[in-house]
């Protein structure tokens, strides 16, 4: 495996991956962030260069210091050759199998390779699949006006506790740390009421996806999330990011919202596979 660190090569890789969208969405988003300041401190591995058959993004070793933190220990994968990707997982040090980690990807073989590798690595996997919604033309998003008594803003550290409390995957020190990193280092938009209270929000994640969209229950049905995404999408689109998000297959409300915003659901699912060493899972 080769670690790509040369800025010109990373820029070239970004362009190559863009040509293979939407299969490359997660990896492409990670590479875009790397090329724009690298807020998650990730790095890119390829099997060869410039003609590669598999790409993997991962956190730098100095960042992935907590073996149990699969929120921080996040990878994204894309392959042209499934056998090459399978070999990377099983027979190289590209992945730290002593840690809990998660892999994101939009190809069915991502899960299959993790399943096969886990059997030999004594690792337990927890796979999840999500619908992916991609906007074909963000310039045509419907415009919404915000009530003058409310204020459009960005998230800050004082909001992290509420984000963690309302997130389906929140409630741990690791989830809170992950959300704190997103709030600190990635684009976000939110709506505050006249007293400065947070009532609705959305962020961009390390893979370039719209994520964590939420409105407090008592404020729903007023189009607040549409206003927030309109502002966030405008910023991300101007920066060159494809506009997409992953939605749980049972989250019908968010699926309907994405369709209302003009997003198109892709045929391919986004696969997120959490890997946990069996010794850790038992303890």
């Amino acid at each position: 495996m080769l670690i790509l660190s040369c800025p010109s090569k990373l820029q070239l890789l970004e362009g190559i991956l863009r040509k293979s969208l939407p299969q490359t969405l997660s990896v492409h988003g990670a590479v875009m962030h790397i090329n724009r300041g690298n807020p998650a401190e990730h790095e890119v591995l390829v099997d060869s260069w410039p003609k590669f058959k598999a790409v993997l993004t991962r956190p730098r070793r100095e960042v992935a210091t907590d073996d149990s933190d699969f929120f921080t220990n996040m990878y994204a994968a894309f392959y042209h050759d499934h056998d090459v990707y399978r070999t990377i997982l099983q027979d190289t040090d590209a992945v730290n199998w002593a840690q809990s980690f998660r892999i994101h990807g939009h190809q069915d073989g991502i899960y299959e390779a993790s399943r096969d590798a886990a059997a030999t690595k004594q690792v337990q996997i927890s796979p999840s699949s999500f619908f992916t919604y991609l906007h074909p033309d963000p310039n045509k998003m419907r415009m919404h006006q915000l009530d003058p008594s409310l204020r459009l803003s960005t998230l800050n550290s004082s909001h992290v506790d509420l984000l963690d409390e309302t997130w389906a995957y929140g409630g741990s020190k690791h989830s809170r740390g992950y959300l704190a990193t997103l709030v600190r280092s990635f684009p976000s938009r939110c709506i505050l009421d006249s007293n400065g209270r947070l009532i609705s929000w959305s962020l961009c994640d390390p893979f370039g996806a719209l994520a964590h969209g939420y409105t407090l229950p008592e404020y729903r049905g007023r189009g607040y999330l549409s206003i927030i995404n309109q502002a966030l999408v405008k910023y991300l689109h101007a920066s060159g990011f494809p506009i997409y998000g992953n939605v749980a297959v049972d989250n019908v409300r968010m699926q309907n919202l994405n369709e209302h915003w003009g997003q198109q659901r892709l045929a391919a699912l986004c696969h997120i596979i959490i890997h946990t060493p069996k010794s850790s899972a038992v303890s």
Side-chain angles (χ1 to χ4, degrees), residues 156-167 170-172 175-177 179-180 183 198 201:
N156 62 54
S157 59
S158 70
H159 300 139
V160 172
D161 285 340
L162 181 58
L163 268 65
D164 192 51
E165 291 168 10
T166 54
W167 189 29
S172 70
S175 64
R176 191 188 185 286
L179 291 170
V183 168
L198 180 64
W201 60 87

Side-chain angles (χ1 to χ4, degrees), residues 80-147:
H80 289 296
D81 186 319
H82 188 246
D83 287 337
V84 170
Y85 175 64
R86 189 194 305 269
T87 299
I88 288 171
L89 282 192
Q90 295 193 23
D91 301 331
T92 75
D93 63 354
V95 170
N96 185 352
W97 289 96
Q99 294 185 326
S100 295
F101 65 93
R102 55 188 166 115
I103 295 180
H104 292 227
H106 287 79
Q107 296 165 287
D108 290 342
I110 302 294
Y111 162 70
E112 295 167 3
S114 285
R115 178 198 62 200
D116 296 344
T120 62
K121 300 289 185 178
Q122 295 298 303
V123 166
Q124 177 178 304
I125 62 170
S126 300
S128 299
S129 297
F130 296 78
F131 292 132
T132 296
Y133 288 83
L134 178 68
H135 206 295
D137 188 356
N139 290 318
K140 294 183 178 180
M141 285 192 72
R142 300 174 184 176
M143 304 299 288
H144 300 268
Q145 297 299 318
L146 183 63
D147 187 306

